[in-house]
Amino acid sequence: MAATETKTAAPPSGLAEFWFYFSRNRGAVLGLGIFLVILCLAIAAPLVAPHSPSEQNRAALLLPPVFAKGGQLTYLMGTDPVGRDILSRLIYGARFSLFIGLVVVSLSVISGVLVGLVAGYFRGRVDTVIMRLMDIVLAFPSLLLALVLVAVLGPGLVNAMIAISLVNLPHFVRLTRASVMTERTKDYVIGSQVAGAGTLRLMFMTILPNCLAPLIVQATLAFSAAILDAAALGFLGMGAQPPTPEWGTMLAEAREFIQRAWWVVTFPGLAILITVLAINLMGDGLRDALDPKLKRS
Amino acid sequence: MLRFIFGRLLVLIPTFIGVSIIAFAFIRLLPGDPVMLMSGERVMAPERHAQIMAELGLDRPMYIQYFDYLVGLLQGDFGKSIISKRSVLTDFLTLFPATVELSFCAIVLAVALGIPAGMLAAVKRGTWLDQTIMGTALVGYSMPIFWWGLLLIIFFSGYLGWTPVSGRISLMYFFKPVTGFMLIDSLISGQAGAFKSAVTYLILPTIVLATIPLAVIARQTRSAMLEVLGEDYVRTARSKGLSPFRVVGLHALRNAMIPVITTIGLQIGVLLAGAILTESIFSWPGIGKWMVDSVFKRDYAVVQGGLLLIAAVIMIVNLVVDVLYGLVNPRIRR
């Protein structure tokens, strides 16, 4: 009997299908690679970094990088005005940036999805109130609102993260609400409602999983935006405070030396740019892989 | 159409009230005593404290304080700076043209480069040209502009010595501001070289502020263009034997522009956020730098008033964009 069985190829698993579309975008794979390298460096910072990020060498102030004239092999990217190794500070700084991105995205996704789900599911007055509140937040330029919030809460990394999460919130609320509203009236939702599914089950088990794709893409973009905003706040002196080796804060400290020591300014910014770029490349690939409407392009 | 505009205006009212509540609450949420904060004094006798409290109306119930604040706003009273004692509205109106000038030049640059770049990438889709343009756009989109500004200063001002580092015009020139826009004022003044000086001061900040909008516009133009190029009417135009230039430049571009115009409108908020960083780097005397300085000087009355005025500007601009969009695309008027 076994001989008559026809072999049909099993449908590809969700992950395999995702990887198929994701890996077709070479930039996205490159971004993922760079991101993983940065992630490993951040995790293994104490092992990888040649020096301690706070160790000051009085004999080597503002030393140029190794490839420039006067550089030393022990300080590959040179030293800053108080003789700290820039490379080590950048490696430790990756921890802060990735941590900021992770916390901000978690905070704004969780709260944004909850609020958006409530607004889109119940509609009516709740929805109106929520959307008006979000309009209020959106009426301010994001960085200005974050800056003022940090002024209220007091400068520092934790407060900067809270402020950026709050500023990011409306995007997730709006996005979730919009997708919930389209899914809400579809047959499968009505079907499970008729079958007796409760409100919470409908919201979280039936509707939410079908709204995830655009949220994941938005979360990636918010991750890189959070790193940029936190660095900007650090640069303005309102984020992480010196001597924290946060990239934006490092730039702020290096500002007065731009005419004398280009490397103190160049490398921290380059670290921000590469990290943000890698995440945005991944975001483009995720959009191609997850958004069925755009799969053809 | 009038109903559409009226409806939009009605929605603005609760948003404005919300914004005013945030601005009102801001000063009261700050850690520390509001009287000390607002008077800017360090040590104070209790009697004087009570006197100022009464003067500022802080001894009355919160909702009455808010009501008074709102009435003041409607009469154009946005508070007074603690440090300079000048009216916040006057300072805002003096500094705002500088920000408008910079933002306007930035958006013009972003549109002038972004739309052709996006079109080119769409027409040459898949080629190295497309990949180069889109790669550059993604780098621009990911750029920490405060670092980008410093790099440009190092290279163009430090190394090449071509452009000045900060300010709006060389100190050699002095004339009374007429419009507040340095480019126009320097021309009106008739002083030789003044206009050229103003331009050299404007170049780097404009590039820095335009970077992110430019990247966004190029990406949006490309994807809108790709969508339109696949439409039937484009094929018809091609099969009629129209030149490729005419097909792309006229038939396709016109229809691709609708989403792009929305994107340009959405960049206003991005520009104002970018202005905070750009103006700080180049010491450009606009409202972005003014706000940052006020936060640092703890001039909270200015922060409060400025926050409200900037939000009002954004709301008005968004309203105008909405109305324009309704004019272009009658379907969304419902």
Side-chain angles (χ1 to χ4, degrees), chain B residues 70-81:
Chain B
L70 202 60
V71 170
L73 289 185
L74 294 177
Q75 293 168 343
D77 174 15
F78 288 82
K80 251 196 241 160
S81 160

Side-chain angles (χ1 to χ4, degrees), chain A residues 136 139-141 143-144 148 152 228 231-232 235-236 238 251 255 259 265-266 269-270 273 276-277 280-281 284 297, chain B residues 11 18-19 22 26 30-31 125 138 141-142 144 146-147 150 154 158 219 276-277 280-281 295-296 307 310-311 314:
Chain A
I136 295 168
F140 299 100
L143 188 64
L144 180 63
V148 170
V152 173
L228 273 183
F235 180 74
L236 291 172
M238 279 290 175
L251 268 177
R255 243 181 105 171
Q259 306 287 9
V265 178
T266 311
L270 207 57
L273 175 63
V276 172
L277 187 61
N280 284 342
L281 278 169
D284 276 4
S297 72
Chain B
V11 179
V19 166
I22 289 189
F26 160 71
L30 282 166
R125 184 187 176 184
L138 196 66
Y141 181 68
S142 311
F146 43 97
W147 175 68
L150 294 180
I154 291 180
R219 277 163 67 99
I276 295 171
L277 291 167
S280 298
I281 299 167
V295 166
F296 275 97
L307 205 57
I310 291 173
I314 292 191

Side-chain angles (χ1 to χ4, degrees), chain B residues 193 232 249 283 332:
Chain B
D232 287 343
S283 300
I332 67 152

